[in-house]
Amino acid sequence: MTRKKPVLTIDGASGTGKGVVGQLVATRLGWNLLDSGALYRVLALAAQKHGVALENEPALEVLAEHLDVQFKVIETGVPPHILLEGQDVTETIRTEKMGNAASKVGTLPAVRTALLSRQRAFREPPGLVTDGRDMGTVVFPDAEIKIFLTASAKERARRRYNQLKEKGIDVNLDDLVGELLERDKRDQERAVAPLRPAVDAIRIDTDTLTIEQVVERIMSEVRKIFSSIH
Ligand code: C5P
């Protein structure tokens, strides 16, 4: 028996492809999508905008509770535009600096609790695909399908390097590996909701797989569980 609001979680470190894979799987299924990392990134940006220090837990908790963020779907199959206090911040939140700031605010327990109900509100029919670090362990522990993506640090840095190069941004590959490892360490070692696979997660190592192959692996799991879908 499956419920009317099934959830498929995709967790993993940065650069494992969760975002793009989540988008493609959600489009194939026609389900809603939550990029939970974007919430942490928007919160970090809001903190910067309002002059709140990234360590000020009580102030960040209040900011998280009142965060005026909108995910605006412009076109099916394309990531939504993200608005903070009505302003389009889709590109602004994607920098390495914001990723690092997001990972700092993400270590604060009060912030994580404040963002819980906001994330759970995305669970709407016909279903939800969500990606992050703790989707299968904390936010949706009862999800029907949990995926955990992995890839070596070298491969993840190489993917990020190519993405940035395409945008015309010049970066050093070794610096990227260093930053990735630093962020991994913070995400894995934090006291609350650390990055780790749920016990019932299906692990997929993406090092030698294309995005389409990862999507197909996930869709085959979906077909097993929801034999009525596709
Ligand atoms: O996935 P993305 O790179 O956008 O996430 C940015 C940061 O937000 C992560 O490094 C992580 O520290 C934090 N995050 C989190 N929990 C999530 C999603 C993201 O702590 N569910």
Side-chain angles (χ1 to χ4, degrees), residues 42-58:
V42 169
L43 179 62
L45 182 62
Q48 184 183 299
K49 190 172 167 187
H50 295 290
V52 174
L54 297 179
E55 302 76 32
N56 187 343
E57 189 165 7

Side-chain angles (χ1 to χ4, degrees), residues 142-204:
D142 61 340
E144 278 75 4
I145 307 179
K146 299 178 186 179
I147 306 289
F148 193 82
L149 298 184
T150 59
S152 65
K154 208 171 148 201
E155 175 60 20
R156 291 186 288 129
R158 200 189 57 78
R159 290 174 187 168
R160 186 74 187 132
Y161 178 81
N162 288 341
Q163 270 176 359
L164 292 171
K165 245 189 141 178
E166 261 174 40
K167 288 188 188 167
I169 303 170
D170 216 10
V171 279
N172 176 297
L173 189 59
D174 289 338
D175 288 352
L176 273 184
V177 175
E179 280 172 24
L180 261 180
L181 292 177
E182 192 189 314
R183 183 130 71 99
D184 282 0
K185 190 165 152 40
R186 197 160 42 225
D187 288 352
Q188 284 160 358
E189 292 182 357
R190 69 177 171 228
V192 182
L195 169 65
R196 61 175 173 78
V199 282
D200 48 349
I202 299 155
R203 294 176 187 233
I204 304 175

Side-chain angles (χ1 to χ4, degrees), residues 2-24:
T2 54
R3 279 163 293 153
K4 274 190 292 190
K5 296 193 256 182
V7 181
L8 187 162
T9 61
I10 307 176
D11 287 306
S14 52
T16 49
K18 328 178 279 313
V20 60
V21 165
Q23 175 77 56
L24 289 166

Side-chain angles (χ1 to χ4, degrees), residues 18 36-37 40-41 103 112 133-135 183 187 190:
K18 328 178 279 313
S36 63
Y40 288 88
R41 285 172 183 264
S103 121
R112 304 200 72 86
R133 304 292 187 292
D134 61 341
M135 297 295 101
R183 183 130 71 99
D187 288 352
R190 69 177 171 228

Side-chain angles (χ1 to χ4, degrees), residues 30 46 51 60 78 88 92 97 101 113 121 156 160 172 189 197 225 229:
L60 286 165
V78 174
D88 195 321
T92 322
K97 186 169 163 249
T113 305
R156 291 186 288 129
R160 186 74 187 132
N172 176 297
E189 292 182 357
I225 294 183
I229 299 176

